[in-house]
Amino acid sequence: MPDTEGHPEVAEMELRSVLSALADDHRRLVIVTLLGEPADTERTCLSFGLPVSKSTLTHHFRVLRESGLVRQVDRGNSRKVRLRRNDIEERFPGLLALLAREKA
């Protein structure tokens, strides 16, 4: 069962949800960008510079969170996002390597 913030446990991550999240160019850009950074990098949602409204940005990060691709945490007056690398690799081995190749 997802936690109170909507993050699913590793066993609850569904391929259909992950692929649906990654089907959007903006969301895939977020994941590929995080892949290129150190493992425990946390960034604000605005730092990705997506050319969308605030409500659309909120939607994109909700989809990423609920699919299990990212973990969002409150840090004072901002919300940070971090890629769930180990969880994704455990549940879907090789997926991150495929996404990293897309960046190259």
Side-chain angles (χ1 to χ4, degrees), residues 73-87:
V73 293
D74 290 325
R75 299 282 187 233
N77 62 354
S78 69
R79 197 152 210 214
K80 302 277 182 140
V81 65
R82 178 174 16 120
L83 184 62
R84 293 178 63 181
R85 288 175 196 262
N86 294 335
D87 295 342

Side-chain angles (χ1 to χ4, degrees), residues 33-95:
T33 300
L34 288 170
L35 270 172
E37 298 185 0
D40 289 329
T41 298
E42 291 182 348
R43 290 180 55 170
T44 64
C45 299
L46 288 174
S47 72
F48 293 93
L50 300 180
V52 298
S53 68
K54 186 174 179 180
S55 62
T56 301
L57 187 68
T58 299
H59 167 74
H60 284 312
F61 280 93
R62 180 179 55 80
V63 170
L64 290 170
R65 180 183 70 244
E66 291 177 353
S67 71
L69 290 169
V70 300
R71 180 165 301 280
Q72 286 184 299
V73 293
D74 290 325
R75 299 282 187 233
N77 62 354
S78 69
R79 197 152 210 214
K80 302 277 182 140
V81 65
R82 178 174 16 120
L83 184 62
R84 293 178 63 181
R85 288 175 196 262
N86 294 335
D87 295 342
I88 297 166
E89 192 57 34
E90 177 183 333
R91 184 73 169 145
F92 307 109
L95 178 62

